Amino acid sequence: MKKILGILILLIVVCGVTAISNENFVSAYNIQNVTRLTSLFGIISIGVAFVIISGGIDLSIGSVICLIGTMLPYLLAKGVPVPLAFLIVGALSICIGLAHGLLITKLKLQPFIVTLCGLLIYRGAARGITEDQTQGFGTAHAGLRYLATGKIDLPFIEGFKLPVPFLIMLGLALLAAFLLNKTIFGRYLKAIGNNEAAARYSGIKTDKVVITAYVICSFLAGIGGILFGLDINSVQPEGIGNFYELYAIAAAVLGGCSIRGGEGTILGVVIGAALMRVLRNSITMLGIPSQLEFAIIGAVILVGVVSDELVKRYAQKRRAIQQARQTSG
């Protein structure tokens, strides 16, 4: 809870500073855009949180987004019915996660290597299948694009409309939170992240749990790929999804997911995703050169992680002192 409070305070501070410096930050149009992008990146961040909590990592998220985001319009352009196209890309994203999980658990390959190879393979496959040609939905699927670009009027709030992706992210976040906090799977996942060997010796089927985490991650990346593709409409295989895995991992880590595994909350991940998008928006609003974007975001992430580690060490030191006093007393 303390981690969530810390990241929330940082988000409020960034919003406050930006709003004071540029009043357009709090305009209905800008808030709508930030909310929409936060929702899209929040979905993929929720997915990677499951993998990080298990003690793993997934570097292929951006390329999965690329592959799914280009395959959907490609299939629709070939005349594949919409339900079948959705079924194909959904099954493909699940198969990718399943392959990652099997390679990591059965062949004992390092998650870093497996997903790094995936990063290269999936984007290469997307570019090869489409011959590096831009894919798009055109005007024939305006109803379908509502999933990513639609807005819902809110009563008593003039000018602001709630982006539909926010509702999708909210539903997925609630489901993920229930899965993580209220089910045996969630308890097992955290146990594996804390100590996989101990979890295995206690009777937990660790392989099955880890495979499921990677399937969830790839499936949510696939949903993200669909929504990102529908959002921008004109999908370029060489561009879509670039560095998105870094944004997702950063959001999860900032939101309280320990990179060592074993801990994390979905609420924290969503707040972390919001902070990442607000930071990027603030850079634009404050007139900071875009070339410094990655440097600033990287510095903020580093400060957040270092602060978290220092607070954790201080808390451990205090607990050790208290235990020593109780023992001596």
Side-chain angles (χ1 to χ4, degrees):
M1 196 61 185
K2 291 181 179 179
K3 288 185 177 181
I4 296 177
L5 183 60
I7 193 68
L8 181 60
I9 291 173
L10 181 57
L11 174 61
I12 293 172
V13 169
V14 174
C15 289
V17 171
T18 309
I20 292 172
S21 302
N22 190 331
E23 62 182 12
N24 290 326
F25 177 77
V26 293
S27 67
Y29 176 77
N30 188 62
I31 294 176
Q32 282 177 187
N33 279 337
V34 172
T35 302
R36 176 176 53 82
L37 289 172
T38 295
S39 302
L40 296 177
F41 280 93
I43 289 171
I44 61 175
S45 300
I46 291 170
V48 79
F50 279 89
V51 169
I52 292 177
I53 291 171
S54 75
I57 196 72
D58 192 338
L59 302 177
S60 69
I61 295 172
S63 293
V64 173
I65 290 172
C66 171
L67 180 60
I68 302 301
T70 55
M71 285 304 298
L72 181 60
Y74 177 82
L75 291 172
L76 294 177
K78 294 294 183 181
V80 177
V82 173
L84 181 57
F86 269 86
L87 183 62
I88 291 173
V89 296
L92 179 59
S93 64
I94 290 174
C95 288
I96 288 172
L98 182 62
H100 290 171
L102 289 173
L103 289 171
I104 291 166
T105 58
K106 302 305 180 182
L107 293 184
K108 305 301 180 184
L109 300 180
Q110 290 295 320
F112 180 90
I113 299 299
V114 171
T115 57
L116 178 61
C117 292
L119 180 150
L120 301 172
I121 293 170
Y122 309 139
R123 185 171 298 276
R127 298 182 67 174
I129 292 171
T130 61
E131 297 180 348
D132 233 2
Q133 298 299 308
T134 300
Q135 306 296 309
F137 298 91
T139 58
H141 300 284
L144 190 60
R145 292 197 64 214
Y146 182 81
L147 293 172
T149 62
K151 300 179 180 67
I152 299 173
D153 291 315
L154 295 177
F156 312 115
I157 301 179
E158 185 178 352
F160 177 80
K161 296 183 179 181
L162 188 66
V164 171
F166 177 80
L167 298 178
I168 297 174
M169 183 201 68
L170 180 61
L172 291 172
L174 291 174
L175 182 60
F178 175 80
L179 191 63
L180 189 61
N181 300 315
K182 301 297 183 180
T183 65
I184 294 176
F185 168 79
R187 291 195 291 272
Y188 285 176
L189 190 71
K190 292 179 180 179
I192 291 170
N194 281 314
N195 191 321
E196 184 174 357
R200 186 182 299 110
Y201 290 139
S202 66
I204 297 174
K205 296 180 179 179
T206 57
D207 288 359
K208 185 180 294 186
V209 175
V210 170
I211 291 171
T212 302
Y214 280 93
V215 168
I216 292 173
C217 181
S218 289
F219 182 66
L220 291 185
I223 292 177
I226 292 172
L227 294 176
F228 276 113
L230 291 170
D231 179 55
I232 61 179
N233 195 21
S234 182
V235 182
Q236 297 178 328
E238 75 278 9
I240 183 174
N242 277 332
F243 296 110
Y244 285 12
E245 62 276 353
L246 301 184
Y247 283 113
I249 293 170
V253 173
L254 280 173
C257 292
S258 172
I259 203 68
R260 291 183 292 268
E263 59 181 299
T265 64
I266 301 303
L267 176 59
V269 172
V270 172
I271 296 174
L275 176 60
M276 295 296 295
R277 299 321 305 169
V278 168
L279 271 174
R280 184 163 188 177
N281 185 250
S282 298
I283 290 170
T284 302
M285 286 285 177
L286 297 177
I288 298 174
S290 59
Q291 295 88 339
L292 296 176
E293 175 190 335
F294 289 118
I296 293 172
I297 292 176
V300 171
I301 294 170
L302 182 60
V303 169
V305 173
V306 170
S307 300
D308 175 61
E309 183 64 28
L310 291 176
V311 170
K312 186 182 298 183
R313 291 186 181 184
Y314 176 73
Q316 290 174 344
K317 186 176 181 179
R318 285 195 61 182
R319 283 197 297 268
I321 293 173
Q322 290 175 354
Q323 290 175 355
R325 287 176 177 174
Q326 291 174 358
T327 302
S328 60

